[in-house]
Amino acid sequence: METSNGSSETDFILLGFSDQPQLERIISVVVFIFYIVTLVGNTTIILVSYLDTQLHTPMYFFLSNLSFLDICYTTSIIPQMLVNLWGRKKSITYEGCVLQFFCALDLGATECLLLAVMAYDRYAAVCQPLHYTVIMHPQLCQKMVLAAWLGGRGSALILCSLTLKLPRCGHREVDNFFCEMPALIKMACVYSKVIEIVVFALGVIFLLVPLSLIVISYGVITQAVVRIKSAARWHKVLNTCGSHLTVVTLFYGTIIYMYMKPQNSTSQDEGKFLTLFYTIVTPSLNPLIYTLRNKEVRSAVKRILWIGKWSAKSRLR
């Protein structure tokens, strides 16, 4: 296998799954399919939330941001990954690696905070229904989303600057399919206690604290749901909250396992397949989870398709 033909000495080599060449073609096809599903599904949610006035609510404002985030996240990883899987050259420029590393950290941390914001929105909708529109007014929603994006950006800047300063002693091989922090730290020829402490501290801030807030929110929501007597409203609450909880479980479960345990305790292949799951599979499942479980989104899609079909027929006449 040629990994560095035509690449400069500053380029990195993304080893990916090159130790299992028989799987590369299969993985590339699966990844391509999931990428298309991610693009189509998340773009659909953004367009439907924008076009249907009945979905101009805080919940769908946050959901649109989550969909946009997932599109950006997968696009920062998958195109380069597919190029490497389909070709013999496995390299990525130093600048491309830094950009990919920064985007992954930035968008991943932002999603952690955004999921916590969405949990608070569900708490306000279920537990404070009479004051919901007052509590979740547009200005607050915009500020919460902006805080999530800025928080993710700040954590990415800190971790990027610390990780990229580590001496690599000429090492160029990244034992993953994209430039992710655990793989880049393993490239270093020195052990850094500082980075381990910073990673753990930011992990608490961006993983455990938001997750704790989500758990508390849903604990209060559960108490409120038990007291609901209307079967229709109980079912609606279960649908919207169930969708968010499913996404939270899929995303946080794999991220916490990867980032909160000691870096040397995860095997190479296990780490790659876990990374494959939360970077590629989860973003494609988000729109499916929300559309299949959410009657409002399904109804909005049908209304927009019906209007489009009716408009097309009118033009033909």
Side-chain angles (χ1 to χ4, degrees):
M1 178 192 69
E2 295 181 23
T3 58
S4 57
N5 282 357
S7 63
S8 72
E9 289 301 315
T10 59
D11 290 354
F12 287 150
I13 309 300
L14 294 173
L15 295 179
F17 301 93
S18 54
D19 58 335
Q20 304 177 62
Q22 70 279 5
L23 290 179
E24 286 193 318
R25 293 295 178 183
I26 299 172
I27 291 173
S28 68
V29 172
V30 172
V31 168
F32 181 74
I33 292 172
F34 274 107
Y35 185 47
I36 296 300
V37 172
T38 299
L39 293 180
V40 173
N42 285 292
T43 301
T44 300
I45 285 181
I46 294 171
L47 290 176
V48 169
S49 299
Y50 176 76
L51 294 174
D52 195 294
T53 55
Q54 294 184 31
L55 299 186
H56 290 180
T57 63
M59 175 182 171
Y60 294 102
F61 172 68
F62 296 136
L63 182 55
S64 296
N65 273 273
L66 180 65
S67 294
F68 176 70
L69 190 152
D70 281 339
I71 290 172
C72 294
Y73 188 58
T74 52
T75 301
S76 70
I77 296 170
I78 295 181
Q80 179 68 52
M81 180 185 179
L82 290 175
V83 168
N84 290 349
L85 284 172
W86 288 337
R88 301 179 68 186
K89 185 179 177 181
K90 310 295 184 183
S91 65
I92 182 173
T93 63
Y94 176 80
E95 294 77 11
C97 186
V98 171
L99 181 61
Q100 199 176 65
F101 177 38
F102 178 80
C103 288
L105 284 174
D106 179 12
L107 298 172
T110 302
E111 182 158 350
C112 290
L113 298 177
L114 188 57
L115 289 172
V117 168
M118 293 173 74
Y120 177 75
D121 171 67
R122 292 299 83 209
Y123 156 77
V126 175
C127 301
Q128 305 287 336
L130 299 179
H131 304 286
Y132 177 67
T133 54
V134 177
I135 296 172
M136 301 302 294
H137 55 85
Q139 291 79 11
L140 177 63
C141 294
Q142 292 166 9
K143 289 177 181 178
M144 292 172 81
V145 167
L146 180 61
W149 283 95
L150 292 178
R153 185 67 47 88
S155 68
L157 286 172
I158 293 170
L159 289 175
C160 272
S161 61
L162 289 175
T163 304
L164 295 173
K165 286 179 182 177
L166 290 174
R168 297 188 301 274
C169 303
H171 297 162
R172 299 169 54 209
E173 295 184 344
V174 181
D175 197 6
N176 211 328
F177 55 84
F178 81 105
C179 292
E180 190 187 29
M181 187 174 64
L184 291 177
I185 290 176
K186 287 179 181 178
M187 284 177 62
C189 53
V190 296
Y191 168 73
S192 175
K193 185 68 176 178
V194 173
I195 285 190
E196 188 172 299
I197 293 172
V198 171
V199 169
F200 183 80
L202 290 177
V204 170
I205 295 171
F206 287 91
L207 291 174
L208 297 186
V209 171
L211 184 58
S212 299
L213 294 175
I214 291 171
V215 171
I216 292 170
S217 296
Y218 275 102
V220 179
I221 288 172
T222 301
Q223 291 179 339
V225 168
V226 170
R227 295 195 295 266
I228 292 176
K229 296 180 180 180
S230 170
R233 185 163 180 262
W234 187 87
H235 186 67
K236 181 180 179 180
V237 168
L238 200 61
N239 272 342
T240 56
C241 292
S243 299
H244 181 251
L245 268 178
T246 304
V247 171
V248 166
T249 302
L250 290 172
F251 180 77
Y252 274 97
T254 50
I255 287 284
I256 288 176
Y257 185 79
M258 280 293 294
Y259 281 85
M260 295 302 291
K261 63 186 296 189
Q263 296 298 325
N264 56 1
S265 63
T266 304
S267 70
Q268 306 279 352
D269 290 337
E270 181 188 8
K272 290 178 188 177
F273 282 103
L274 279 173
T275 304
L276 195 67
F277 185 82
Y278 72 77
T279 58
I280 292 160
V281 178
T282 303
S284 68
L285 294 179
N286 288 355
L288 295 177
I289 291 168
Y290 277 104
T291 53
L292 292 177
R293 292 181 59 89
N294 196 316
K295 187 178 179 180
E296 289 179 336
V297 176
R298 295 199 303 269
S299 299
V301 171
K302 289 177 183 177
R303 281 195 299 271
I304 291 172
L305 291 176
W306 184 86
I307 291 172
K309 185 178 180 180
W310 183 83
S311 300
K313 286 183 178 179
S314 298
R315 285 194 296 269
L316 289 174
R317 290 174 186 171

